[in-house]
Amino acid sequence: MSDKIKETAPQCGDLLDLPEHVVGEIVDGDLFLWIVDPVAKTLESFVLHDGSWKLESAHGGDEIVRAVPFDAIELDLSVLWLE
């Protein structure tokens, strides 16, 4: 079973230089994190395992991707970018 952490949109001046959206998910004890930057049109997928963050995948533009932990489905990144 997975626990949705939440989606955040920093509003008070990029304190940690984070892009627009950060989405996290816990699956089988591992924490997965997506960083979505709609300006740069990128999605980066990380996993925290044994205390270390590992970049699982990086995507951009109008790619159709399978990004962990939702790699069972295809995601068309073009739907994320407002144009």
Side-chain angles (χ1 to χ4, degrees):
M1 177 153 205
S2 65
D3 298 312
K4 181 86 171 168
I5 294 176
K6 73 177 193 176
E7 181 176 346
T8 61
Q11 299 195 11
C12 59
D14 301 327
L15 294 175
L16 300 174
D17 257 355
L18 288 177
E20 293 275 328
H21 298 281
V22 177
V23 179
E25 187 84 15
I26 299 172
V27 178
D28 296 329
D30 289 330
L31 175 62
F32 292 89
L33 178 72
W34 280 11
I35 298 178
V36 179
D37 186 337
V39 175
K41 296 183 179 179
T42 59
L43 178 144
E44 296 174 309
S45 175
F46 295 86
V47 62
L48 179 63
H49 186 72
D50 292 333
S52 297
W53 285 105
K54 176 184 173 192
L55 177 64
E56 286 289 317
S57 61
H59 309 280
D62 293 336
E63 289 182 61
I64 297 175
V65 303
R66 292 179 181 269
V68 295
F70 306 110
D71 50 335
I73 60 168
E74 289 185 336
L75 172 63
D76 181 353
L77 293 183
S78 68
V79 303
L80 299 178
W81 323 134
L82 298 175
E83 294 186 339

